Amino acid sequence: MNTRILVADDEEILRMLIVDTLEDNGYEIDEAEDGREALNLINTHTYDLVLLDYMMPEMTGLEVIETVRAAGKEDVKIMMLTAKAQKKDEEIAKDAGADYFISKPFSPMNLLETVEAILDE
């Protein structure tokens, strides 16, 4: 069975870069361009990992995480991707229920290494 990852980011070019990097390494990827679409996909599919942008239209990444966690989905691994790179922002994301946090900009290879490490846990 393939590892399934959701990539939710409203920046199309960045989303495409992430998707291409992960697909080239054998991952099955679903995409969402806003928070509401991401939440709908999380509620209808099972993911090994969800990569969420912090600031998205419709619902922010934080709102998506809070909704997922409030629904009792503690087993969903969630990585927050964000340009908000202050320590305070990381703490807010982790308090909301994010398992991992990576700051933008990031290199595709570093993201891939991080994803692989998370999935090997």
Side-chain angles (χ1 to χ4, degrees):
M1 181 173 157
N2 288 344
T3 301
R4 191 170 192 176
I5 299 173
L6 173 61
V7 176
D9 197 307
D10 60 319
E11 294 179 47
E12 184 177 6
I13 293 184
L14 180 59
R15 193 174 64 245
M16 287 172 45
L17 175 67
I18 295 168
V19 167
D20 288 347
T21 299
L22 296 175
E23 283 182 338
D24 287 350
N25 285 277
Y27 296 106
E28 184 179 327
I29 308 297
D30 287 342
E31 298 178 56
E33 60 187 43
D34 63 52
R36 189 161 315 283
E37 184 179 7
L39 184 60
N40 289 338
L41 287 167
I42 292 167
N43 285 331
T44 57
H45 296 85
T46 300
Y47 293 102
D48 298 288
L49 180 63
V50 175
L51 306 181
L52 276 179
D53 183 24
Y54 200 110
M55 296 177 288
M56 290 186 290
E58 301 296 326
M59 291 179 82
T60 67
L62 282 179
E63 291 170 328
V64 172
I65 293 170
E66 289 167 346
T67 303
V68 167
R69 296 304 187 221
K73 295 184 177 194
E74 296 298 323
D75 58 327
V76 177
K77 293 180 183 177
I78 300 174
M79 178 192 296
M80 179 69 71
L81 306 173
T82 184
K84 294 172 73 77
Q86 300 296 319
K87 187 68 177 165
K88 174 188 76 156
D89 298 312
E90 182 175 355
E91 290 170 5
I92 290 169
K94 292 203 171 179
D95 286 346
D99 300 300
Y100 311 94
F101 188 92
I102 192 165
S103 299
K104 295 177 184 177
F106 50 81
S107 89
M109 293 318 301
N110 284 348
L111 176 67
L112 178 61
E113 290 170 4
T114 303
V115 165
E116 289 173 344
I118 290 167
L119 295 171
D120 285 343
E121 288 181 347

